[in-house]
Amino acid sequence: MSALSMHSPVGDLTIFAEEEAIVALEWGWGSVQDPSPMLVRAKAALERYFAGGKLEELPLRPLGSAYRQKVWAALRDIPHGQTRSYREIALVAGGSPRSVGGANAANPIPILIPCHRVLSGTGLGGYSGGDGLATKRALLNLEKLNAGV
C-alpha cells in the first residue's frame, strides 16, 4: 500500500492507495511516504477542495460490508454544499438512521466519502474525524462558502 501525507486546514492527512484506487484517508502524518501517481492526483484534488473547489471524482475502494458500501455510495451522491439527514440516507441505502451513523463512523475515506454532510434531525450529529465536531463544522463551512463553485 502506498501512502502520501499532506497539510490541510483540518489538520495533517495521510492518503492511502492500492493499485489505482484510494482505500483510506486518516488524520495525522504517516511515517512512511510512498507516493503513487494516484496519491499525487488525490492530494492535488484535496488541495483544490480546500482552496474552495468541488471534490473531484476519484477511484475509491473502501473496505466494508455490502450495507456500508450502499451508505457510502449514497454519501457520494450528496452534492457539494448540501447536507442530508441520517434518516434521508437510510431511506436511500436501507437500514435505520442509527445504522447509517455506524457506517459513517466506519468510513475509511472521510472527506472524499463526505460523511461530514450527514446531519441528525436535531443538529450536527457526530463526527469521528480530526477534532470531531469542530472538523465537521469547518468542512461544512468551507463547502457552504464555496457552494456556487
Side-chain angles (χ1 to χ4, degrees):
M1 184 176 338
S2 54
L4 181 62
S5 297
M6 64 179 286
H7 301 292
S8 86
V10 293
D12 292 339
L13 303 171
T14 300
I15 318 159
F16 299 88
E18 288 182 350
E19 299 169 9
E20 289 301 311
I22 305 302
V23 296
L25 185 149
E26 297 176 358
W27 269 264
W29 198 268
S31 59
V32 175
Q33 302 294 302
D34 181 22
S36 67
M38 174 52 58
L39 288 173
V40 172
R41 178 178 163 202
K43 179 182 176 190
L46 284 165
E47 288 171 339
R48 284 189 297 277
Y49 168 75
F50 287 120
K54 291 183 181 179
L55 281 172
E56 174 185 334
E57 286 291 323
L58 295 166
L60 307 179
R61 193 177 319 128
L63 292 176
S65 68
Y67 174 71
R68 287 180 175 174
Q69 297 289 337
K70 287 173 74 173
V71 170
W72 299 332
L75 301 182
R76 292 185 78 191
D77 288 339
I78 302 171
H80 181 91
Q82 295 185 27
T83 59
R84 300 289 184 268
S85 70
Y86 291 99
R87 182 180 170 282
E88 289 172 310
I89 298 300
L91 290 173
V92 171
S96 67
R98 183 177 300 262
S99 65
V100 169
N104 279 7
N107 177 5
I109 315 174
I111 303 173
L112 296 175
I113 298 176
C115 53
H116 60 277
R117 294 180 185 160
V118 182
L119 308 177
S120 78
T122 58
L124 279 179
Y127 196 71
S128 57
D131 289 328
L133 290 179
T135 298
K136 185 173 188 169
R137 280 187 198 95
L139 292 169
L140 290 172
N141 288 337
L142 172 76
E143 292 184 5
K144 185 177 178 182
L145 287 172
N146 301 301
V149 175

